[in-house]
């Protein structure tokens, strides 16, 4: 029987690997570093915690199922997951990356990738085709959609037609929509990465990351790397993310509904010169996101009329908190230019339309009237 997505957040279809006989409804936390073997040549399936742990494995099965992959691997953070995917490449390999990526990913390419001989070309992939940038040594294309923080929408299927033809890997960071709203593997991606710290965990209390793939060969390589480098998610943190995912569907729906209310309010404000949300009909990616995703998410970027107003809003907000990160039950506001995008070169910021008047909201699941009332008082002198 194939479950629908809300059920998949809570149950895995085949339970043959349940190692607990107590009937516990909540999957146990296996807080152990190593596992005993019954006898010579016999194994319980577990050897050492760096390789695998039953709690982590349960989480990986849930996430693989949600993304429609054959395997998912859980990491200690989203950046650990991205770093592991990048270990698939060697010095001299070339990657095409989207211009508007998460600041930490840009930092990875600028400092670690660069030092390790990974060549990159940055392209605005929501506007331009990837094809003219492909070189003989190009190995992969790395994108996020919608992008952070400008919410550009990239047509995954269209890019995958080219990456398949040219035998390149298509890697999609699916953090912003979560598997509840979008499944890039089904649209032709080869690898999906997540910061599980965000919507999957959902409570701003745990860092985690995921790599999901539909390819046996890639899964095997990723598992070899995690076994070697030891960046797997700890048992207790795995349990926290498992618990978070149980309410993914409810949280995503509510956060999106709140985001729509806030977008409506922002559109009416004279101090707001621009509202960027892919659910708006005038957003350039609106038709694409409607086709490739089941929702628009709960990230809202907006530009106010002055730098002074930015300072005032960040000072006066009470319920909404001025903090980095996203995807949790609490509504957070960030000032990308000094926070998530502090290491991004100025010419890229300008090209992407991020300036000292740009603010980003990660809308949570509070009552939308309370959120709007807080914004209202923060906007007023
Ligand atoms: C947060 C984030 C990451 C990094 O994840 P961490 O869990 O913070 O390491 C990567 N990509 C996107 C889109 C993110 O929002």
């Amino acid at each position: 029987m194939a479950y629908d997505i809300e059920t998949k957040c809570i149950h895995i279809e085949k339970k043959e690997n349940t190692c607990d006989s107590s009937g516990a409804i909540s999957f146990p936390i296996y807080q152990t570093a190593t596992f005993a073997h019954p006898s010579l040549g016999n194994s319980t399936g577990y050897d050492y915690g760096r390789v695998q742990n039953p709690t982590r494995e349960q989480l990986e099965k849930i996430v693989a199922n949600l993304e429609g992959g054959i395997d998912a691997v859980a990491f200690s953070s989203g950046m650990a997951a991205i770093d592991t995917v990048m270990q698939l490449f060697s010095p001299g390999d070339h990657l095409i990356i989207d211009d508007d990526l998460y600041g930490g990913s840009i930092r990875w390419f600028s400092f670690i990738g660069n030092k390790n001989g990974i060549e990159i070309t940055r392209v605005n992939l929501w506007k331009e085709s990837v094809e003219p940038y492909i070189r003989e040594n190009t190995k992969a294309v790395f994108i996020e959609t919608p992008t952070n923080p400008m919410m550009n929408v990239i047509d995954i299927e269209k890019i995958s037609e080219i990456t398949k033809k040219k035998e390149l890997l298509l890697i999609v960071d699916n953090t912003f929509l979560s598997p509840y709203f979008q499944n890039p593997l089904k649209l032709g991606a080869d690898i999906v990465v997540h910061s599980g710290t965000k919507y999957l965990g959902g409570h701003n209390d745990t860092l985690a990351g995921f790599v999901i793939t539909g390819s046996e060969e890639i899964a095997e390589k990723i598992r070899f790397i995690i076994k070697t480098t030891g960046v797997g998610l700890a048992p207790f943190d795995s349990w926290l993310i498992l618990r978070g995912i149980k309410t993914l569907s409810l949280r995503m729906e509510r956060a999106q509904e709140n985001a729509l209310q806030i977008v409506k309010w922002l559109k009416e404000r004279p101090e707001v010169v621009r509202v960027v949300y892919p659910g708006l009909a005038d957003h350039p990616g609106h038709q694409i996101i409607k086709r490739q995703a089941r929702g628009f998410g709960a990230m809202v970027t907006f530009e106010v009329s002055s730098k002074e107003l930015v300072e005032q809003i960040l000072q006066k907000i009470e319920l909404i908190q001025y903090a980095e990160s996203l995807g949790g039950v609490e509504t957070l506001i960030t000032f990308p230019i000094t926070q998530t995008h502090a290491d991004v070169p100025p010419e890229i910021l300008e090209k992407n339309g991020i300036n000292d008047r740009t603010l980003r909201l990660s809308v949570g699941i509070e009552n939308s009237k309370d959120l709007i009332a807080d914004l209202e008082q923060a906007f007023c002198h």
Side-chain angles (χ1 to χ4, degrees):
M1 189 171 56
Y3 295 145
D4 230 315
I5 186 125
E6 295 84 353
T7 313
K8 283 182 184 173
C9 290
I10 306 166
H11 301 281
I12 47 175
E13 276 146 73
K14 288 192 202 107
K15 293 204 173 118
E16 83 273 6
N17 253 1
T18 306
C19 9
D20 188 89
S21 55
S22 70
I25 294 293
S26 164
F27 198 90
I29 304 165
Y30 285 83
Q31 192 64 42
T32 181
T34 191
F35 300 87
H37 305 297
S39 62
L40 184 66
N42 277 318
S43 169
T44 59
Y46 303 96
D47 306 298
Y48 187 57
R50 187 166 2 93
V51 182
Q52 192 52 296
N53 171 288
T55 316
R56 198 182 99 199
E57 189 172 45
Q58 175 76 4
L59 170 63
E60 291 175 345
K61 283 182 180 165
I62 292 269
V63 172
N65 210 14
L66 286 176
E67 279 292 11
I70 58 154
D71 200 9
V73 184
F75 295 86
S76 56
S77 72
M79 286 318 300
I82 291 170
D83 179 70
T84 300
V85 169
M86 293 306 149
Q87 307 268 354
L88 297 172
F89 306 105
S90 305
D93 285 352
H94 172 248
L95 270 72
I96 297 166
I97 65 171
D98 187 60
D99 230 353
D100 188 24
L101 291 180
Y102 174 68
S105 300
I106 297 180
R107 191 186 306 126
W108 191 96
F109 285 107
S110 308
F111 296 98
I112 301 188
N114 186 40
K115 173 172 78 69
N116 292 344
I118 305 292
E119 297 169 20
I120 53 159
T121 303
R122 293 179 152 131
V123 183
N124 254 327
L125 287 169
W126 67 277
K127 265 199 248 168
E128 284 190 75
S129 165
V130 74
E131 204 150 10
Y133 298 94
I134 297 172
R135 303 181 195 162
E136 212 146 80
N137 58 340
T138 305
K139 293 290 156 65
V141 177
F142 182 78
I143 63 168
E144 286 170 24
T145 179
T147 65
N148 180 18
M150 295 317 284
M151 311 306 292
N152 298 319
V153 178
I154 299 173
D155 191 329
I156 301 173
E157 220 160 8
K158 206 161 123 198
I159 291 207
S160 83
E161 281 165 21
I162 299 165
T163 53
K164 282 199 163 68
K165 193 173 78 189
K166 302 280 183 180
E167 297 183 350
L168 311 178
L169 292 178
L170 177 57
I171 306 160
V172 180
D173 182 332
N174 199 30
T175 301
F176 264 39
L177 286 186
S178 91
Y180 181 71
F181 282 141
Q182 179 169 271
N183 297 120
L185 295 178
K186 292 181 184 157
L187 299 162
D190 301 285
I191 298 173
V192 170
V193 297
H194 275 283
S195 169
T197 315
K198 315 296 168 56
Y199 289 105
L200 288 167
H203 292 75
N204 287 320
D205 57 10
T206 317
L207 288 161
F210 293 94
V211 175
I212 308 104
T213 177
S215 146
E216 297 273 1
E217 191 193 336
I218 295 169
E220 215 170 279
K221 286 181 184 166
I222 297 288
R223 290 215 170 266
F224 178 80
I225 299 166
I226 199 172
K227 168 170 135 180
T228 308
T229 60
V231 282
L233 192 63
F236 181 59
D237 290 0
S238 296
W239 184 85
L240 283 169
I241 304 290
L242 263 176
R243 176 158 124 154
I245 291 176
K246 290 179 189 185
T247 55
L248 179 69
S249 63
L250 296 173
R251 288 187 285 102
M252 293 308 294
E253 292 289 352
R254 175 55 176 265
Q256 173 170 259
E257 179 52 38
N258 284 353
L260 283 165
Q261 298 300 326
I262 289 174
V263 162
K264 264 194 221 152
W265 182 85
L266 287 168
K267 290 279 266 184
E268 300 294 317
R269 295 297 300 201
E271 310 92 326
V272 176
V273 298
R274 187 177 174 201
V275 182
V276 187
Y277 183 67
L280 289 168
D282 64 1
H283 186 282
H286 184 65
Q287 292 305 328
I288 301 169
I289 198 169
K290 262 171 70 176
R291 197 168 64 235
Q292 72 184 8
R294 294 177 290 272
F296 308 112
M299 299 300 298
V300 179
T301 297
F302 62 100
E303 186 181 324
V304 293
S305 51
S306 72
K307 170 90 195 294
E308 291 66 42
L309 187 54
V310 166
E311 280 168 25
Q312 179 193 316
I313 292 168
L314 295 179
Q315 174 109 42
K316 287 185 76 179
I317 38 160
E318 285 169 10
L319 170 61
I320 299 171
Q321 289 170 95
Y322 170 33
E324 236 167 282
S325 201
L326 62 111
V329 293
E330 297 90 358
T331 299
L332 304 180
I333 192 163
T334 56
F335 186 36
I337 204 162
T338 65
Q339 292 181 296
T340 51
H341 285 56
D343 284 343
V344 178
E347 65 277 9
I348 295 205
L349 290 175
E350 200 190 305
K351 207 162 126 192
N352 292 339
I354 305 166
N355 58 39
D356 62 2
R357 297 170 309 281
T358 307
L359 288 165
R360 188 195 78 182
L361 278 170
S362 167
V363 180
I365 66 167
E366 300 94 336
N367 186 300
S368 62
K369 285 198 208 90
D370 293 333
L371 293 170
I372 289 170
D374 192 33
L375 286 170
E376 188 119 39
Q377 65 80 25
F379 268 65
C380 291
H381 273 291

